[in-house]
Amino acid sequence: MKVFLRTKGFWIGFALMLVGLFALTVLPVVFGGGATKVAAVGGQAVDALRDKGFEVREVTDRAAAEELVRAEEVEAAVVSDGGVRVVALTDEPDEVLAALATAPPVDLLEPAEVNSGRRSAVIFVFALVFFMFGMGGAAIAQSTVTEKQTRIVEILVSTIPVRALLAGKIIGHTLLMLGQLLVLALAAPIALRLGDQGQLLAVVAPALGWFVPFLLFGFVLLAAMWAVTGSMVSRQEDLGSSMGLVVLLVMGPYFAVSFFSDNAAVLATLSYIPFSAAVAMPVRMFTGQAQAWEALLSLGLLACSVVVVVLLAARLYEGSLMRTGGKVALAKAWARQD
């Protein structure tokens, strides 16, 4: 942990995560543009357009309105000429026309607590956080290879058991992940309020409560696999050839949940698969598609999977850590304990 806390890469990566969090919530407000400017004749039209969120400039007659449109000081003008008419310069002002159109009333039988845009944003954030922390576990593999390459591992295993060394790596990196997650959790309410998304916080908070334990177990699952990945090779140059499976298990949930977020059946299946449950089940809890007992069942399955994978990883790690000279086959790493 001390080594990683001293590295610039760790702090730069964490700073980028914080900047990304604020950018995701604040930039849409900053660059979203102000209200559409419209000229209007008559108090009734002025009030109606203001109620729709437009910035309205009240003028006395059509000639004044057309002058503002030609000067491009407003995007359109709403005038009365035996009826309501819209004046624009070159193209039809779709936003103004949509605001003036009369839509039939809609009765929602099961109104959603959040709109589709916010729902997509939250799903994206959950998947992205899992992806970033999951890929951050590659540092475990890199540190393991460095220890093998520099022979430091021979000193380490002469003083502590190999399994204790593996446990230390997993626990240390998990604590670092939890520390970063805690800071992000404290910064998220500030970012949401700056981005005028305070209402979303109340809706997301329960799902965040589920996301943290799922992310914790999911990270431990991947951390054990990253450690084994690093122990299978002796040089940094060979690490890329052994980390393909873990990268796939990190990227798979990210893309699967993002692509199938609207498919309830697929999302339900993903929420019970250990490697994708860390993202899929919190998303289902956020969208109201799962009950609490389903989340507890999924979390239990994930915890059991963590125990099994860590035990398997410990055996492979112990069997491959002291082997040098090239990539270690899984069969050799496993057979050494027999």
Side-chain angles (χ1 to χ4, degrees):
M1 287 179 62
K2 290 182 179 178
V3 173
F4 278 95
L5 288 174
R6 291 194 193 103
T7 58
K8 292 181 180 178
F10 172 81
W11 291 107
I12 291 174
F14 183 49
L16 289 177
M17 291 176 69
L18 276 175
V19 171
L21 173 65
F22 279 89
L24 191 64
T25 55
V26 177
L27 288 184
V29 177
V30 175
F31 295 103
T36 302
K37 296 180 180 177
V38 181
V41 180
Q44 188 175 356
V46 171
D47 294 339
L49 290 169
R50 280 179 178 160
D51 290 343
K52 297 290 185 180
F54 292 96
E55 181 179 337
V56 183
R57 292 186 61 175
E58 187 174 3
V59 293
T60 55
D61 52 33
R62 174 165 180 156
E66 289 183 356
E67 185 178 348
L68 290 176
V69 172
R70 292 183 186 281
E72 299 186 9
E73 295 186 19
V74 297
E75 295 189 17
V78 178
V79 301
S80 176
D81 187 11
V84 177
R85 298 190 66 84
V86 176
V87 179
L89 189 59
T90 56
D91 300 313
E92 292 187 357
D94 295 334
E95 187 179 1
V96 177
L97 294 176
L100 295 174
T102 302
V106 179
D107 296 325
L108 297 176
L109 299 179
E110 297 179 0
E113 294 184 2
V114 292
N115 58 40
S116 58
R118 289 179 174 178
R119 178 174 176 271
S120 299
V122 171
I123 293 172
F124 172 74
V125 169
F126 279 0
L128 183 63
V129 170
F130 175 81
F131 174 78
M132 294 181 70
F133 280 119
M135 288 304 296
I140 302 174
Q142 292 170 348
S143 66
T144 302
V145 177
T146 301
E147 290 168 359
K148 290 185 69 172
Q149 199 167 8
T150 57
R151 303 285 185 178
I152 293 176
V153 68
E154 296 176 4
I155 301 174
L156 293 174
V157 298
S158 65
T159 55
I160 58 174
V162 174
R163 295 197 174 199
L165 183 61
L166 173 64
K169 285 182 178 295
I170 295 175
I171 293 172
H173 282 272
T174 302
L175 290 176
L176 285 177
M177 185 273 290
L178 282 176
Q180 295 176 76
L181 194 61
L182 177 62
V183 176
L184 289 175
L186 294 174
I190 301 172
L192 287 172
R193 286 191 171 87
L194 287 176
D196 197 22
Q197 301 288 337
Q199 185 183 2
L200 181 61
L201 179 62
V203 180
V204 174
L208 280 175
W210 285 108
F211 182 58
V212 172
F214 272 98
L215 180 61
L216 172 64
F217 282 111
F219 180 81
V220 173
L221 190 70
L222 294 172
M225 299 188 68
W226 278 120
V228 172
T229 299
S231 69
M232 305 295 286
V233 297
S234 302
R235 301 183 308 166
Q236 293 286 352
E237 295 84 349
D238 300 328
L239 186 57
S241 63
S242 67
M243 59 194 299
L245 175 61
V246 190
V247 171
L248 181 64
L249 292 174
V250 175
M251 297 182 68
Y254 173 78
F255 287 110
V257 174
S258 298
F259 291 156
F260 296 104
S261 61
D262 293 329
N263 190 320
V266 174
L267 199 60
T269 302
L270 292 172
S271 67
Y272 290 103
I273 298 175
F275 292 99
S276 57
V279 181
M281 184 54 79
V283 166
R284 291 187 67 210
M285 295 300 291
F286 170 69
T287 56
Q289 298 177 10
Q291 302 295 321
W293 68 267
E294 293 182 79
L296 291 173
L297 175 61
S298 176
L299 192 61
L301 290 174
L302 178 57
C304 293
S305 301
V306 168
V307 173
V308 173
V309 170
V310 168
L311 289 175
L312 295 175
R315 175 162 175 165
L316 292 172
Y317 188 80
E318 195 173 22
S320 58
L321 186 62
M322 298 304 294
R323 291 180 182 268
T324 58
K327 185 177 180 180
V328 181
L330 283 174
K332 285 186 177 180
W334 185 263
R336 186 173 184 179
Q337 299 299 314
D338 294 334

